[in-house]
Amino acid sequence: MNIILYPHSAGATFSKMLRLFALPAATLLLIAADRLLGGMDSVEANMLAALAIVLAGIPHGTLDVEIAAAHFGQNGLAGRAKIIGGYVGCAAAMVVLWLQLPELALISFLLISIVHFSRDWRGGVDPFLAMMVGWALVALPALASPDDVAMIFAALTGNQNGTVIAALLGAASVPAALGSLVFAYWAFRHEDAQSALEVLACITAALFLPPLVAFAVFFCGLHSPRHMADALRETGGLSKFKKAAIVAAVSALSLGLGVLMFLYQGDVPSDMGIVRSAFILISTLTVPHFILEHILAKKPAA
């Protein structure tokens, strides 16, 4: 079976000690600040976390077309047009799903996220254990902060079915948490302290921080930077200027789509509207990104 390897070379210019303890230290500082000062579950904190997730999440998929063109041997204008068409088609299908069947869209996004996040730790580990980590990252906030997650999911679906999905997700989180602890133990035993500490930090954040802040810790502090480093490596043949131009242009288009989602979502309070728009935008961009990642995992470069 082919697996995607994510070597810990991202951020190689920093000291090994900094890379080892940066995420755990940031997590503990946020938990301490929340306990001592409060405010992490405020409206402002939730909006900032949602914006951080969007701003960190968009760039790491902006080079997908270039990566796909190189792997499929479609470097011409017509080839890129086909790839862009497929990408936009997948994203549009997800938007339609949110509009017509929001509950199915939410469940699909949760399942895709579990698989997608699990690939951050599949370098040499049993894929089942890696899947447990992805599952725990998605599900544990629903166990630790059920009311908050239920409110977010209800806003995403536009009805109380979101609260049912949140309750089921929380109930399914315990085995995933146990599997994540097994993964951390396995990593320590195999002299991979970085993976073990990363997982423990993300699980701790999910348990002790408000859901959006906890997700931002993982998404902004680990997932997006790692995938961005991978994307920059895979497009090594492009000049820095061209990469920067592509990242800026695609990010601007994506943010524009997010603004349209926010403006035309109906009678939703502005604070929850930002959260709702952020997650629908991220899910819309994640689906084609996930499909491409899955295809490339199975197909050798052209």
Side-chain angles (χ1 to χ4, degrees), residues 129 132-133 136 140 173-189 195-196 199-201 203-204 207:
L129 286 180
M132 290 297 99
V133 177
L140 271 179
S173 66
V174 175
L178 295 175
S180 298
L181 294 177
V182 172
F183 172 89
Y185 173 76
W186 177 92
F188 271 122
R189 287 293 302 271
S195 289
V199 169
L200 291 175
I203 296 305
T204 301
L207 287 172

Side-chain angles (χ1 to χ4, degrees), residues 86-99 257 284 288:
Y87 211 90
V88 172
C90 290
M94 192 63 183
V95 172
V96 172
L97 193 62
W98 276 111
L99 293 174
L257 176 61
T284 299

Side-chain angles (χ1 to χ4, degrees), residues 207-218:
L207 287 172
F208 295 104
L209 287 172
L212 287 176
V213 177
F215 185 65
V217 167
F218 161 67

